[in-house]
Amino acid sequence: MKIEYNNLYTHFVFTTYNRLSLIPEKNRERIEKYITGIVGYNLSKLYAIYANPDHVHFLISRSPSKSEEEIATTIANSSSSFINKNKLAVGKFAWQQSASAFSVSKQDVDGICKYILSQPDHHKKETFDEEYQRFMKYYQNTLQR
């Protein structure tokens, strides 16, 4: 059945292979723009993105014709190829073989966008490992309610 209207917001977190700091600040925006293009090409809309040296956060509203796994795989494969082809990373670039995808309600979109765009300040107070453990604890508790 065709889905005419939808509200399918997903907050993705991709980590670099072995969580190495592979994304230099000087190439961050170019990588973000490339991922933005991939999202749009896949019938989805990007609301916020921030590429840290060892992980990237982005929030999209996705087409119901694409699953989170399909979009994540497409973005990971295409962006890895782009980064390596253009030598935008320190050494050979790869993402981890798995990513995280968190559903977001429409009322939380603005807050998640602010969170993603404030990553540089956020990571002055909390490491990526601490952030990730907090996400896992929060979303596991949400699922157990």
Side-chain angles (χ1 to χ4, degrees), residues 65-141:
S65 66
K66 302 279 186 175
S67 71
E68 286 92 348
E69 189 169 339
E70 288 174 307
I71 289 176
T73 299
T74 299
I75 291 170
N77 291 343
S78 185
S79 63
S80 291
S81 177
F82 173 78
I83 291 166
N84 283 318
K85 179 181 174 185
N86 291 283
K87 298 178 175 37
L88 300 178
V90 179
K92 181 160 173 54
F93 183 85
W95 297 110
Q96 293 277 48
Q97 291 298 307
S98 62
S100 297
F102 304 104
S103 62
V104 174
S105 68
K106 185 170 179 65
Q107 68 191 23
D108 292 332
V109 167
D110 286 343
I112 298 296
C113 286
K114 288 175 187 170
Y115 175 78
I116 290 171
L117 296 174
S118 70
Q119 284 288 291
D121 290 333
H122 170 75
H123 284 297
K124 289 177 184 173
K125 302 171 196 157
E126 183 177 52
T127 68
F128 175 62
D129 285 334
E130 292 166 338
E131 172 185 57
Y132 196 75
Q133 291 307 314
R134 183 173 45 79
F135 274 22
M136 292 299 103
K137 186 175 180 180
Y138 174 78
Y139 284 103
Q140 285 175 347
N141 287 341

Side-chain angles (χ1 to χ4, degrees), residues 14-29:
F14 287 14
T15 55
T16 59
Y17 185 72
N18 287 335
R19 295 188 180 172
L20 297 172
S21 293
L22 299 175
I23 302 172
E25 175 60 29
K26 68 181 181 177
N27 297 327
R28 179 181 58 79
E29 285 187 30

Side-chain angles (χ1 to χ4, degrees), residues 32-44:
E32 291 170 352
K33 286 178 184 177
Y34 187 79
I35 291 173
T36 301
I38 299 168
V39 170
Y41 186 77
N42 282 275
L43 309 172
S44 300

